[in-house]
Amino acid sequence: DADVTQTPRNRITKTGKRIMLECSQTKGHDRMYWYRQDPGLGLQLIYYSFDVKDINKGEISDGYSVSRQAQAKFSLSLESAIPNQTALYFCATSDSNYNEQFFGPGTRLTVL
Amino acid sequence: EDKVVQSPLSLVVHEGDTVTLNCSYEVTNFRSLLWYKQEKKAPTFLFMLTSSGIEKKSGRLSSILDKKELFSILNITATQTGDSAVYLCAGYFNDYKLSFGAGTTVTVRA
């Protein structure tokens, strides 16, 4: 079984809809991250969390919110989706500062 | 603001060629630099470099860091079609977040 899972894997939605992307991990890591990737660009950090009570904004948090429901779960919400949020979204985890991050399989989101 | 720049943006080679990918960074407080490979799905970890001048090697891939000149290179020797991917460079700098470069797309033709 995959260590980091994301649901859904693909989603098509309409402008203005509320969308939630979910991430679960079995690695026992405290640190969890949400990134988006646009064609031809690297990964941009949206939000990150170092434990259940910790939420931090990344480079591009506007239009997004997150919830860390448990050590193993970190969800990303788009309160009112817009077309320029069409992208590939990745969840990642790490065990400590400055170490390798492990990525989930990604969610491809299309906002029409 | 911390910045990671990769070059070239893309390249096409033939099987058996050697490829050198570059990653330079402008940062105020370097911690570590990581290389990932992405093949149309999740990035997979290749190397983490923290010390200058020490080469990390895994099979046909190797990487080295120059902390004085603020760059790293990733070498792939005897390339195969399975090496076709986007290679991402990322660094931990001032705080605990990874900053990514835009990536280099490598296409290996048979």
Side-chain angles (χ1 to χ4, degrees), chain A residues 18-65:
Chain A
R18 184 176 188 274
I19 296 296
M20 180 179 286
L21 309 183
E22 300 193 9
C23 176
S24 293
Q25 51 113 349
T26 58
K27 300 188 76 68
H29 290 170
D30 288 326
R31 289 158 168 75
M32 297 187 75
Y33 310 81
W34 275 105
Y35 293 91
R36 69 175 275 174
Q37 186 176 37
D38 297 280
L41 299 180
L43 282 77
Q44 296 175 279
L45 184 64
I46 307 172
Y47 271 96
Y48 61 104
S49 169
F50 287 165
D51 64 42
V52 175
K53 297 177 182 174
D54 178 69
I55 299 289
N56 303 282
K57 292 183 177 181
E59 307 161 77
I60 54 164
S61 59
D62 287 349
Y64 302 94
S65 63

Side-chain angles (χ1 to χ4, degrees), chain B residues 59-78:
Chain B
R60 296 176 294 102
L61 277 67
S62 64
S63 183
I64 198 161
L65 176 70
D66 186 327
K67 287 170 77 172
K68 183 180 174 186
E69 301 298 330
L70 307 183
F71 76 90
S72 174
I73 61 172
L74 176 68
N75 279 319
I76 310 173
T77 58

Side-chain angles (χ1 to χ4, degrees), chain B residues 2-3 8-10 13 16 30-32 39 45-46 49 57-58 65 69-72 78 96 98 102 110:
Chain B
D2 297 328
K3 193 172 166 185
L9 289 181
S10 65
V13 298
F30 175 85
R31 300 288 187 175
S32 58
E39 299 172 86
F45 174 74
L46 295 175
L49 303 149
K57 197 170 170 66
S58 177
L65 176 70
E69 301 298 330
L70 307 183
F71 76 90
S72 174
Y96 308 127
L98 262 185

Side-chain angles (χ1 to χ4, degrees), chain A residues 37 48 98-101 104, chain B residues 36 38 42 45 92 96-97:
Chain A
Q37 186 176 37
Y48 61 104
Y98 313 124
N99 263 354
E100 171 194 355
Q101 290 185 15
Chain B
Y36 283 85
Q38 186 177 23
F45 174 74
Y92 281 112
Y96 308 127
K97 313 190 299 280

